[in-house]
Amino acid sequence: MVPSKARVAAWGLWIALGVWRAAAADTPPAVAASSGPTTPASTDVPTGPLQEVVVTGLKASLEKSLEIKKNADVIEDSINATELGRFPDADVADSLEHLPGISITRTTGGEGESVTVRGLGTQYNIVTLNNRILATDDDSRDVAFDVLPSEVISGADVLKSPQASALEGSIGGTINLRTASPFDDPGLHGGVHAEGNYNSMSQLHGQKYSFFGTDTVADNTLGFLFGAVYSDNNQRTDSLNAYNQNIYGPTTYPYAGGAGSVPLTATPCCITFGSIFDQKKREAVSGKVEWRPSNAFTLTADALFTHLDDPQVGYNQSYYFAADPAGDGWGVPVIQNGLVTSVTSQNFTPEIVNNTINRKVDTIMTGLNASWKPTERLTIGVDTYLSLASRPEGGQDSFVTAGLVSSSPNAVDTITVTDEPNSLPDLNVTVPPSQLGLTACPTGTASKTTPGSCSYTALMNSGYLDNNKYWSTHYDGLNGYSVHDRIEAISLDNSFDVSEGFFKSILFGAGDNRREKERVDSSNDWTNGSGQYGTLYETAGCPVQCNPYTFGSQGFNVISFSSPPNFLAGAGGSYPSVLPQLNVPQLLSFLRSLNGKPNPFYCSALPCASPFAFSETLPQPNPFNSYDVTEKTATAYVELEFGGDRWSGNLGVRLVHTATDAATAVTVPVSLWTPTTINSTQTWNVQYSTAQSLVDRGQYTYPLPSANLSYWLVQHELQLRVAAAETMSRPELYELAPTSTNNAENGQPQLSYNGTAGLKPTRAYQADLSIEWYYQPHSAFNVAAFYKKIVDDIYQGTESNVNLGTLAYIGGPPGTVPGTPFLWTITAPANGAESIYDGVEISWQHFLQMGLGVHADYTRTWSKGFDQNGNPTGPVNEAPPVTASVSLIYDKGPFNVDVTLDHTSSYTYFCSQCTEVPGWPAIADSFNWLTASIHYRFLKGFDVYVEGKNLTNSIARTYLNGNPLLPWAPGQAVGQDVSGVGAGYSAYGRSYVLGASYRF
């Protein structure tokens, strides 16, 4: 896809206008020719062109950022565009990572998506655009940066010490993104960019085009700015989608227990890995009109629209162990410290999984801002805006399976899993030839470990199993969240110039904000539609099912094999080297073809009262996992500004009142049953009580004092800053709604209540200190220290063995077999945890006259956590405690060269109570990201460049409890942005960009 003719025409019009204006500027007016004699050296001749010269490039960007930091009222760091419509990196998050205290998480293709500040996760920070809150496309408040093309952003400020006049809601820091103003550089200016990219791992490519134009007219009292961006990138990310341990399997070995038995903490459960393909398309249009009829009045109207179309299709191999507490079919395990690191299990079926996330997001921000100075001392400012985010994804995602079919009522394959250090496991699956309708294994596929059986790996790699007659389905999850976020706000920000002694001015204002976020979970899990075909890996037998229901028997091509280049390079382990692909539309057509046939899940004899019915598999809105949250906030503040010859400061308080309403529905399973005994792909049918509507309400009021002081120890060279404040971060929006989810469909007694409107904000008492040494122009050495005591933090409360009256039935539905109590483990969020963070930031920027420069920073954060009872829980480390970045720069003449290495240390990717094994956190390895670029500027305004990303081919890895034998990934997160990317094993490959731009 290329930009539409309308876009091309608009861009061409702007370029033509630029050429015309440039020509007009170079041609003397006709009246000048008839006037008096001219002087060749007249200073009037170059005046126009000189006003249009703008310093560009990375060096200029860093110099501007340093100047902003030097003159700021608070402790902050900044990053700025290298020119109009061009950020230092391809995405904003990557550029922010070059700043002290910043780390990022990456989505598919290695693109930066979310930001953490000073060791504090995304829930403790806010992202604003022109000091306005951005609506978001998932459950959280933090912005997914991939919805914002970097070309629409002119700069970003990370505010690390608060002030009363600034927006509340962050403990780590506030990231304020800025858009350009036509008065940043009066006159007509514009630029076009075009680039293509290529990834050496996936051998896929993409393209991006952008245009920006700005002009001021009417004697520079009226300004216009317009920009447009279009990109289309094909990406592949090799990923461990999920690898979990099982706490519901055997608890001892020997499995029957008894004297001398060895306790087992966890046993193998589920592993899914493969490649995620996405064609990420982005479109963005931004505009601004600014009127400055006088120095006393400014009126600005602005708008931003972005569209992200990013379907992520994950093709995976999948291996699920039977969760059998008795260990039936299990062999003798290898045990290390209570962990089963190798074991053989029967009753197994190897699977193929398609995990698709159809992410499409529209984001809109429109606003009107006015500033009026009715008197010399009073300034009145008004800002109002509307922010919208829409992600209509409900029921459009999928987690669907295909498995190797058995002609008997039971699974007949065997698996041996052996964990290897810093690697995916060795997976040895054996298949009896009779399962394939053979008396002996095909040539070259005989198992080397199990005589008489075939090697599944060899069957897959040889292409023998690339045949739909061997495969059918078992679990067909159709799901997804539709999320709509709407923010309406107005604020009044005034200042009065006092100028009495050291008392300079008083700032005062008020604001009103209304936010409504709606999530509709559409899925077929809660209706049992996902498990309707749960017995098709096996064959029930006559008269209900005399032959297997395979894809091929019904005439459908659901599965196929491929061999992507560099597939799972560096992952380690032993398993098939092909990538099986499952076609979802073909699968759904196969399911429709079974309509009316006897369903062995429900029927053991004919006639069958419950035949297959595809309509029951279609996703339906789930009332007890959907919500509508409304949050209304009123604020008021007063701030006093002081200053002298060598010092300045502010002291103030911000009052915040918030009321929330959360609407949802509540229910609990009353029973669950399965027609089969324990095997690796068991399906449970779950019945629920009638859902009851619920509206939960909460409110809170907090005063938030703050103070900032700066003092020039050496005038204009050495500056000391100190700051203190009370801050807060609000609960995530989904934590305000008492929705519920459970894992009964997998036979596991896990019930999670996800929120309550009564949750209070997390609060913090913080102090900051920094010393900034500007020892020469455009160079500085800075050291900052910070301390934060966090209280009322949100934790997950847990209660085990809770009897809610749920009964489980094995072997048939209620009434056919006895039921047993199904005792739940229940989790729910609550306030009460505490933690302490302190740390130090060091940054250095230095440029030589010859054009060489360096920009480097280092941050170290220490943390201590305490549970709701005050018991120490050790370091928190939910974001990397150590971050560092170093850039080597050459910028002189036509050349601009830079090389940047960003480093993040190991950290807690998932907390110890958030993984499947209580007390075992998921620990991410340290990670490095190397980028480089070369720009060559020629003629007037032309630039060609080459850029490289992830040049060291870094791979993200995560391990359960930090154990190198247990790579870990969370699996599908319904309604979120990615699945399994950035955890366990995630390979992005090296990417290269070739581009050109023209600026006029």
Side-chain angles (χ1 to χ4, degrees):
M1 180 178 177
V2 297
S4 68
K5 293 181 180 179
R7 296 192 190 96
V8 173
W11 296 0
L13 179 62
W14 269 94
I15 295 171
L17 181 60
V19 172
W20 178 83
R21 285 286 300 265
D26 289 339
T27 304
V31 293
S34 62
S35 62
T38 61
T39 303
S42 171
T43 58
D44 292 336
V45 175
T47 299
L50 282 175
Q51 292 176 342
E52 295 185 2
V53 172
V54 179
V55 179
T56 62
L58 182 58
K59 178 183 177 184
S61 169
L62 293 173
E63 290 172 352
K64 181 178 179 181
S65 300
L66 198 62
E67 194 67 20
I68 292 174
K69 178 181 181 69
K70 182 178 180 179
N71 297 317
D73 293 330
V74 298
I75 298 173
E76 72 171 73
D77 292 288
S78 299
I79 194 76
N80 288 276
T82 56
E83 60 181 79
L84 183 66
R86 178 96 184 144
F87 223 59
D89 293 272
D91 58 84
V92 179
D94 268 324
S95 291
L96 288 169
E97 192 175 31
H98 307 330
L99 297 178
I102 302 295
S103 63
I104 67 175
T105 60
R106 299 185 182 276
T107 182
T108 51
E111 182 177 358
E113 184 177 46
S114 61
V115 174
T116 65
V117 183
R118 288 182 162 180
L120 289 155
T122 57
Q123 70 271 29
Y124 300 100
N125 312 301
I126 61 171
V127 178
T128 59
L129 179 65
N130 296 324
N131 296 306
R132 300 163 176 167
I133 300 173
L134 273 164
T136 60
D137 70 296
D138 62 12
D139 282 326
S140 62
R141 300 176 185 272
D142 62 294
V143 173
F145 279 88
D146 63 344
V147 305
L148 291 174
S150 62
E151 289 80 3
V152 303
I153 305 299
S154 66
D157 305 315
V158 182
L159 311 177
K160 297 177 177 178
S161 67
Q163 61 186 126
S165 56
L167 196 65
E168 81 287 344
S170 65
I171 292 176
T174 296
I175 301 165
N176 181 48
L177 309 177
R178 293 179 270 110
T179 57
S181 164
F183 290 94
D184 291 342
D185 186 22
L188 177 69
H189 307 280
V192 292
H193 299 80
E195 64 183 42
N197 61 70
Y198 173 80
N199 184 276
S200 61
M201 181 191 79
S202 66
Q203 300 180 11
L204 299 174
H205 56 82
Q207 57 187 325
K208 179 165 65 173
Y209 310 95
S210 64
F211 165 77
F212 277 83
T214 177
D215 197 8
T216 54
V217 297
D219 294 327
N220 284 342
T221 62
L222 185 62
F224 304 90
L225 183 147
F226 173 79
V229 183
Y230 172 83
S231 65
D232 184 352
N233 291 312
N234 295 284
Q235 300 173 152
R236 187 189 105 211
T237 304
D238 288 354
S239 176
L240 175 63
N241 185 287
Y243 189 23
N244 305 135
Q245 298 299 301
N246 190 1
I247 62 172
Y248 300 105
T251 58
T252 64
Y253 183 78
Y255 303 125
S261 60
V262 178
L264 300 179
T265 305
T267 57
C269 171
C270 332
I271 181 168
T272 303
F273 54 85
S275 295
I276 299 174
F277 293 84
D278 57 327
Q279 185 178 14
K280 180 174 285 190
K281 297 180 181 180
R282 267 183 298 226
E283 297 177 342
V285 178
S286 64
K288 182 177 290 188
V289 178
E290 195 166 343
W291 183 40
R292 298 184 179 183
S294 69
N295 292 332
F297 184 78
T298 298
L299 181 65
T300 303
D302 59 88
L304 170 69
F305 168 79
T306 72
H307 174 72
L308 173 68
D309 187 354
D310 184 22
Q312 301 172 10
V313 183
Y315 297 118
N316 298 276
Q317 302 177 33
S318 185
Y319 306 83
Y320 273 56
F321 268 67
D324 182 8
D328 289 343
W330 284 35
V332 178
V334 176
I335 304 171
Q336 293 186 15
N337 300 319
L339 174 70
V340 174
T341 61
S342 181
V343 71
T344 298
S345 175
Q346 300 173 359
N347 304 321
F348 179 77
T349 301
E351 293 183 282
I352 297 169
V353 167
N354 179 310
N355 182 189
T356 294
I357 300 175
N358 280 299
R359 185 170 175 234
K360 296 182 180 181
V361 182
D362 288 334
T363 304
I364 298 173
M365 170 78 82
T366 62
L368 188 66
N369 181 280
S371 177
W372 177 42
K373 194 171 183 179
T375 70
E376 285 298 317
R377 291 191 168 190
L378 179 64
T379 300
I380 299 173
V382 179
D383 185 79
T384 183
Y385 68 91
L386 170 67
S387 182
L388 302 171
S390 178
R391 183 177 174 177
E393 194 175 315
Q396 299 181 36
D397 298 345
S398 64
F399 189 100
V400 294
T401 65
L404 206 57
V405 169
S406 166
S407 58
S408 73
N410 300 305
V412 295
D413 299 331
T414 299
I415 183 172
T416 300
V417 59
T418 302
D419 292 323
E420 300 288 347
N422 304 300
S423 168
L424 298 189
D426 292 338
L427 300 167
N428 179 21
V429 178
T430 58
V431 179
S434 59
Q435 184 178 1
L436 308 176
L438 306 173
T439 58
C441 297
T443 302
T445 65
S447 171
K448 297 179 180 179
T449 60
T450 307
S453 292
C454 311
S455 165
Y456 176 72
T457 295
L459 290 168
M460 293 286 283
N461 290 342
S462 68
Y464 190 86
L465 292 181
D466 190 2
N467 190 323
N468 281 271
K469 73 177 183 179
Y470 296 125
W471 302 88
S472 190
T473 192
H474 154 73
Y475 173 83
D476 302 288
L478 306 177
N479 50 52
Y481 293 165
S482 287
V483 177
H484 303 282
D485 195 7
R486 180 185 181 93
I487 304 172
E488 300 172 342
I490 185 170
S491 62
L492 183 66
D493 298 281
N494 310 310
S495 68
F496 184 76
D497 185 3
V498 179
S499 297
E500 294 290 341
F502 62 82
F503 188 11
K504 299 302 182 183
S505 61
I506 180 171
L507 309 181
F508 57 99
D512 184 79
N513 179 295
R514 186 182 190 275
R515 182 171 196 168
E516 182 177 6
K517 176 161 282 194
E518 178 192 45
R519 182 185 82 188
V520 177
D521 172 16
S522 295
S523 73
N524 60 2
D525 281 342
W526 75 284
T527 61
N528 299 300
S530 59
Q532 180 183 179
Y533 306 90
T535 63
L536 296 194
Y537 288 168
E538 293 81 38
T539 305
C542 292
V544 174
Q545 184 190 12
C546 297
N547 298 298
Y549 292 136
T550 66
F551 302 143
S553 69
Q554 298 300 112
F556 294 95
N557 294 314
V558 178
I559 63 102
S560 60
F561 291 0
S562 66
S563 298
N566 309 299
F567 179 57
L568 292 173
S574 175
Y575 37 79
S577 59
V578 296
L579 179 65
Q581 299 181 343
L582 193 160
N583 185 304
V584 174
Q586 280 286 298
L587 173 65
L588 298 182
S589 296
F590 163 74
L591 299 181
R592 289 190 188 94
S593 75
L594 300 179
N595 274 358
K597 295 182 182 295
N599 186 345
F601 189 96
Y602 296 102
C603 304
S604 57
L606 296 180
C608 180
S610 300
F612 289 111
F614 177 73
S615 60
E616 296 178 4
T617 294
L618 297 176
Q620 302 294 328
N622 180 349
F624 51 87
N625 197 36
S626 301
Y627 65 74
D628 189 338
V629 172
T630 301
E631 183 180 70
K632 300 177 181 178
T633 298
T635 60
Y637 71 89
V638 60
E639 180 179 316
L640 307 180
E641 293 191 327
F642 308 91
D645 291 339
R646 302 177 67 169
W647 68 279
S648 62
N650 56 72
L651 174 68
V653 63
R654 187 177 187 89
L655 185 65
V656 179
H657 174 77
T658 298
T660 59
D661 290 348
T664 185
V666 293
T667 188
V668 67
V670 295
S671 66
L672 63 157
W673 65 273
T674 179
T676 60
T677 56
I678 301 297
N679 61 52
S680 66
T681 55
Q682 191 172 30
T683 298
W684 293 78
N685 187 283
V686 185
Q687 293 79 45
Y688 290 89
S689 61
T690 303
Q692 302 293 321
S693 298
L694 173 70
V695 177
D696 207 356
R697 293 183 170 87
Q699 63 177 351
Y700 53 84
T701 303
Y702 289 115
L704 303 174
S706 61
N708 291 271
L709 177 67
S710 63
Y711 181 76
W712 287 100
L713 300 172
V714 179
Q715 192 73 283
H716 306 304
E717 183 174 330
L718 186 63
Q719 184 172 211
L720 171 70
R721 294 182 185 268
V722 294
E726 180 179 348
T727 57
M728 57 171 265
S729 64
R730 292 183 170 89
E732 301 286 22
L733 290 161
Y734 74 88
E735 293 178 318
L736 297 173
T739 58
S740 63
T741 56
N742 66 78
N743 203 18
E745 65 179 347
N746 291 319
Q748 297 180 354
Q750 300 165 332
L751 175 62
S752 297
Y753 290 102
N754 302 313
T756 172
L759 281 179
K760 305 297 184 184
T762 300
R763 294 179 296 125
Y765 306 96
Q766 68 178 59
D768 294 89
L769 173 69
S770 76
I771 297 178
E772 303 165 5
W773 182 24
Y774 303 92
Y775 56 88
Q776 71 175 40
H778 315 309
S779 301
F781 181 79
N782 306 310
V783 178
F786 57 90
Y787 170 88
K788 302 175 188 289
K789 182 178 181 181
I790 298 177
V791 299
D792 285 340
D793 207 351
I794 297 171
Y795 71 96
Q796 289 295 318
T798 302
E799 188 174 356
S800 300
N801 297 316
V802 179
N803 191 340
L804 298 178
T806 309
L807 295 178
Y809 301 84
I810 299 177
T816 63
V817 295
T820 58
F822 194 70
L823 303 181
W824 295 94
T825 297
I826 299 178
T827 60
N831 291 106
E834 297 186 2
S835 56
I836 294 175
Y837 287 77
D838 52 17
V840 61
E841 296 174 343
I842 302 172
S843 61
W844 178 45
Q845 178 173 309
H846 184 81
F847 283 98
L848 301 174
Q849 290 294 327
M850 61 184 296
L852 287 175
V854 61
H855 177 85
D857 64 73
Y858 170 87
T859 302
R860 177 67 167 97
T861 301
W862 294 269
S863 62
K864 295 183 293 185
F866 303 88
D867 66 17
Q868 66 276 17
N869 299 315
N871 301 314
T873 56
V876 180
N877 290 347
E878 63 182 9
V882 176
T883 61
S885 179
V886 58
S887 299
L888 301 178
I889 304 159
Y890 177 77
D891 192 352
K892 191 171 185 178
F895 288 100
N896 184 318
V897 182
D898 69 272
V899 179
T900 300
L901 177 66
D902 296 309
H903 167 81
T904 56
S905 66
S906 175
Y907 70 101
T908 302
Y909 187 90
F910 259 44
C911 75
S912 61
Q913 300 302 315
C914 304
T915 67
E916 70 277 8
V917 183
W920 285 15
I923 306 298
D925 268 1
S926 60
F927 187 78
N928 298 314
W929 190 263
L930 180 66
T931 59
S933 69
I934 301 175
H935 289 246
Y936 177 71
R937 301 180 287 258
F938 62 99
L939 298 178
K940 184 179 180 181
F942 287 94
D943 182 13
V944 293
Y945 52 90
V946 177
E947 299 175 347
K949 297 191 298 181
N950 194 24
L951 295 178
T952 56
N953 198 25
S954 295
I955 295 173
R957 299 181 187 270
T958 305
Y959 299 98
L960 186 62
N961 209 30
N963 189 334
L965 292 172
L966 299 178
W968 181 92
Q972 184 194 38
V974 177
Q976 304 305 308
D977 303 329
V978 294
S979 179
V981 176
Y985 162 90
S986 293
Y988 310 109
R990 298 179 178 91
S991 294
Y992 304 94
V993 175
L994 176 64
S997 67
Y998 170 66
R999 182 173 58 85
F1000 58 86

